[in-house]
Amino acid sequence: MESMEKIVSLCKRRGFIFQSSEIYGGLNGAWDYGPLGVELKRNLKQAWWDDMIAHHDETQAVTGAPSPFGMVGLDSALLMNPKVWEASGHVGGFSDPMVDDRETRARYRADQLAVFALEFVAADGGVTSYDGVLFAAPGEIGKTDDVELFEPHRKRIASIQKNHAGKQLRVAAVPNALQDEMLRAKVLAPGASAPGTLTAPRAFNLMFKTHVGALEDNSSITYLRPETAQGIFVNFKNVCDTARVRVPFGIGQVGKAFRNEINPRNFTFRSREFEQMEIEFFCRANESADWYRYWRERRYNWYLALGMRRENLHLREHEKDELAHYAAGCADVEYDFPFGRSELEGIANRADFDLRQHMQTSGKDLRYFDDQEPDEQARRYLPHVIEPSAGADRGALAFLCDAYHEDEIGGEMRTVLKLHPRLAPIKTAVFPLVKKDGMPEKALAIYRTLKRHFNVYYDEKGAIGRRYRRQDEAGTPFCVTVDGDTLTAGTVTVRERDSCEQVRIGVSELQPYLGDRIGA
Ligand code: ATP
């Protein structure tokens, strides 16, 4: 697994991802996609849209009906009536527990600050607990195996250890230390000089507030959407009434979402502005468990089909105590990032919670009407919902990490992004071998022909080996080189990125040859 520093540095060097407003010192939690990055992210979103919506042709695995179920798209506004967020539960409950350090002014998510006590184990197995100071470090609550110790912590621990010579040090999690005033007073925060500087955790709502219109009072408050999903729910009836869809069917949406995360970190993984690709799939209550399993598998397999390595991708079913009160099931697609295994996408069985909330709050009847149902009682009902909710930025980052390789070709090291051709920002590069003898003219003609079909890059500068390596780093799957034989025999070489193998083919065959392999 490559280090995050290498990925971040490649992203900056080659123009995948930059810090937002960098010349002014940046803005924490916001990122800009450069010329290569924007293509990668667009390709990922396009692949999602094509596979889930536009080219969707999946038959009804669960109901057994031979025709494909409906999948339609939507693009709802970022700003919505604030009642949406009251009904959805976001105004009341979309918050993370936050603690502040009064000394260092650092701010933490309480559930991401691990607190632990020291214990000393004697040779005979006897354990002495040291209860003078508790130590807090960024890490998952309750877990102590991967805590990062800060230097002042290490010094203090070393001096405590002196009084327990011959015994082995171990750490024990103290899960609820921050909630308990007595225990909190003993906690030494990261970077703090003395214990007791952390505040009690308090709920911090993650929605960005803004005002709509000229008056900045309470009546004009609304929020930047923290997810795209609610835009789908509030349009459920509009779509049913206009799109000729029948349950089971899904509505998909791709777009920006905003969350005022307490601690944005791990590059684009946790940002304050990001993009989601979400589906709300509406089905009958008695089929929801089957559809839930169907979507879980389908979404997991989607990443594999785009070339993600199976050993890095996991499908994790949530434990019962992790589930929201209304949810009947939830699974995460997780990826082994260099900073640890983390969520790419969540697939949740949300029952009829969202439609019911909006029906109650808006007073509008959001029930689905099934005109083919013979039983009059059963004709109107609130469908249940399966929600596969993916992040485009997390997806793009995972594909970058997965594609990053350093290998040796002909005795020279190279960095190569082994991106699936559908995701690759540039599909083909065209080079004249040398900048003379009519080769640039010929290469430009080929470039122009191919450019009508896909994203092609022309490069005539520098040694051919360096030009290949520049494209390897950008993830370009094919390089076409025009040489002396092109002018005499009408053939070019096509070099494949991962194997570096070259084949000679006729110029006239080039477009279908590449098109087949690129999927364009
Ligand atoms: P986390 O637990 O990591 O905060 P979450 O469970 O709150 O994520 P959801 O509300 O299920 O996330 O959002 C669905 C998807 O949206 C996530 O799987 C992720 O891909 C993406 N996402 C959520 N928050 C962020 C963020 N701050 N930055 C980037 N992507 C995000």
Side-chain angles (χ1 to χ4, degrees), residues 29 90 94 96 109 112 206 226-227 257-261 264-265 267-278 303 318 330 332-333 342-348 350 387-395:
H90 284 82
F94 191 57
D96 280 334
R109 248 173 79 171
Q112 290 177 352
L206 299 184
E227 60 175 35
F258 301 83
R259 297 183 188 178
N260 200 0
E261 297 280 358
R265 57 188 178 150
F267 201 23
T268 56
F269 179 83
R270 186 172 301 287
S271 336
R272 290 187 167 135
E273 173 177 343
F274 54 95
E275 270 184 289
Q276 291 185 312
M277 310 184 288
E278 295 196 295
Y303 293 93
H318 282 207
C330 188
D332 286 344
V333 177
S342 308
E343 171 182 336
L344 286 185
E345 167 161 359
I347 298 105
R350 300 180 60 87
E387 178 187 81
S389 170
D393 307 85
R394 286 192 188 175

Side-chain angles (χ1 to χ4, degrees), residues 6-122:
K6 284 187 179 173
I7 310 276
V8 174
S9 128
L10 174 78
C11 283
K12 194 171 152 70
R13 190 169 74 246
R14 293 308 313 268
F16 278 93
I17 300 171
F18 308 120
Q19 202 183 6
S20 154
S21 28
E22 192 180 85
I23 59 168
Y24 290 104
L27 179 72
N28 203 359
W31 299 95
D32 296 343
Y33 287 77
L36 289 179
V38 66
E39 296 289 344
L40 170 66
K41 190 155 82 141
R42 277 173 59 99
N43 290 342
L44 184 68
K45 291 184 288 180
Q46 193 66 44
W48 184 93
W49 192 268
D50 286 347
D51 296 346
M52 297 299 123
I53 315 256
H55 301 178
H56 148 82
D57 188 19
E58 293 269 316
T59 46
Q60 308 205 8
V62 170
T63 58
S67 57
F69 53 82
M71 288 297 293
V72 294
L74 184 79
D75 186 15
S76 69
L78 294 173
L79 295 171
M80 296 201 262
N81 189 307
K83 293 213 178 76
V84 170
W85 305 109
E86 284 163 28
S88 67
H90 284 82
V91 171
F94 191 57
S95 53
D96 280 334
M98 175 176 75
V99 294
D100 284 310
D101 185 331
R102 285 183 290 256
E103 181 188 335
T104 64
R105 305 248 157 256
R107 178 162 277 186
Y108 306 97
R109 248 173 79 171
D111 56 344
Q112 290 177 352
L113 202 57
V115 177
F116 53 89
L118 304 184
E119 288 182 346
F120 295 94
V121 188

